[in-house]
Amino acid sequence: ALGALASAARAEEAPPSPFKPERWEGAMAAFDAAAQEKTPPADATLFVGSSSIRLWDLEKWFPERPVINRGFGGSEICDSVHYFDQLVARYRPQAVVFYAGDNDIAGGKTAAQVHRDFLEFAAKLEESLPGTRLLYIAIKPSLARWNLAEEMEEANHRIAQTCEETEQTQSGDVWHPMLGDAGTPRPELFVDDGLHLNDQGYKLWTRLVKEALARDNN
């Protein structure tokens, strides 16, 4: 089902913007080396995506479950699609928590393009690991990229709609919990750059992810 949706989205949209997957070869080599040095746990929850994943101290925040971190800072959804076999399929995870899309829109992609790339990722997961659940963390609102809020919200809306319609995927809303009473991002959740999360931000994300994964198990 997701494969057909991805094909339809590809047909409707302009060609994807050029990307250079070779720039991540060093990161992939580092992941390979880490996996050889210490065997990743079986039936783990795999976290994959951009720097918000990379900087997440998963052992600290998820002590109760086996976890694997495959975040690589600056990446877009298409990068995780390109390296899907290395990043995801090889570990045969029990669940995948995916955060990307933030850099995509900051780099000029439209909400429709982000949605299409998400469909590609979800279709690959459905095809290669049909029993593995996917939790997509919605693009976060941030102080640094608040000027892009409209396009980000539209991407979140499109992806959430797809997740509602497909059994294997689930969307985790961090957008609304990260906004304050004024409807703007809560400064206390970010480090000084206004983009990346501090401990308070990760505490919020951890709670939301745990709630979503618990719902998934019921």
Side-chain angles (χ1 to χ4, degrees), residues 49-92:
S50 55
S51 54
S52 293
I53 296 289
R54 184 179 65 80
L55 298 167
W56 203 341
D57 184 348
L58 299 178
E59 282 77 16
K60 170 185 170 180
W61 292 105
F62 295 90
E64 75 289 347
R65 65 170 63 228
V67 289
I68 302 169
N69 190 321
R70 289 298 176 262
F72 50 122
S75 64
E76 300 182 13
I77 295 176
C78 58
D79 299 310
S80 290
V81 171
H82 182 84
Y83 287 107
F84 183 87
D85 290 343
Q86 265 176 283
L87 284 170
V88 182
R90 68 187 292 184
Y91 301 113
R92 306 196 68 77

Side-chain angles (χ1 to χ4, degrees), residues 147-159:
N147 59 312
L148 303 171
E150 196 176 329
E151 202 68 30
M152 289 177 169
E153 273 203 283
E154 175 61 21
N156 285 340
H157 172 71
R158 287 174 181 241
I159 292 171

Side-chain angles (χ1 to χ4, degrees), residues 7-9 16 19-20 26 37 41 61 65-66 72 74-75 104 121-122 136 139 146 156 161 174 197 201-202 209 212:
S7 298
F19 76 111
K20 297 178 178 174
E37 192 177 314
W61 292 105
R65 65 170 63 228
F72 50 122
S75 64
D104 311 47
F121 183 89
Y136 176 77
I139 301 171
W146 188 236
N156 285 340
Q161 214 164 14
V174 296
L197 302 174
Y202 279 119
V209 166

Side-chain angles (χ1 to χ4, degrees), residues 42-208:
D43 293 324
T45 301
L46 173 70
F47 288 71
V48 67
S50 55
S51 54
S52 293
I53 296 289
R54 184 179 65 80
L55 298 167
W56 203 341
D57 184 348
L58 299 178
E59 282 77 16
K60 170 185 170 180
W61 292 105
F62 295 90
E64 75 289 347
R65 65 170 63 228
V67 289
I68 302 169
N69 190 321
R70 289 298 176 262
F72 50 122
S75 64
E76 300 182 13
I77 295 176
C78 58
D79 299 310
S80 290
V81 171
H82 182 84
Y83 287 107
F84 183 87
D85 290 343
Q86 265 176 283
L87 284 170
V88 182
R90 68 187 292 184
Y91 301 113
R92 306 196 68 77
Q94 178 238 340
V96 174
V97 177
F98 186 35
Y99 183 79
D102 202 329
N103 296 318
D104 311 47
I105 287 175
K109 281 188 175 174
T110 64
Q113 286 173 313
V114 170
H115 179 232
R116 181 197 55 219
D117 290 346
F118 168 79
L119 287 171
E120 296 273 6
F121 183 89
K124 274 188 173 285
L125 185 68
E126 183 184 61
E127 185 186 346
S128 62
L129 300 167
T132 298
R133 309 291 299 181
L134 172 61
L135 172 61
Y136 176 77
I137 299 177
I139 301 171
K140 70 180 184 292
S142 66
L143 301 163
R145 293 176 174 171
W146 188 236
N147 59 312
L148 303 171
E150 196 176 329
E151 202 68 30
M152 289 177 169
E153 273 203 283
E154 175 61 21
N156 285 340
H157 172 71
R158 287 174 181 241
I159 292 171
Q161 214 164 14
T162 294
C163 291
E164 276 177 32
E165 293 162 6
T166 48
E167 204 179 319
Q168 194 180 355
T169 58
Q170 186 182 358
S171 174
D173 176 26
V174 296
W175 184 274
H176 295 96
M178 291 184 71
L179 298 179
D181 293 338
T184 52
R186 294 163 54 191
E188 71 272 16
L189 301 177
F190 298 93
V191 296
D192 290 346
D193 66 6
L195 177 63
H196 296 99
L197 302 174
N198 60 19
D199 255 23
Q200 206 171 332
Y202 279 119
K203 184 178 181 180
L204 174 66
W205 273 33
T206 300
R207 177 173 61 79
L208 295 169

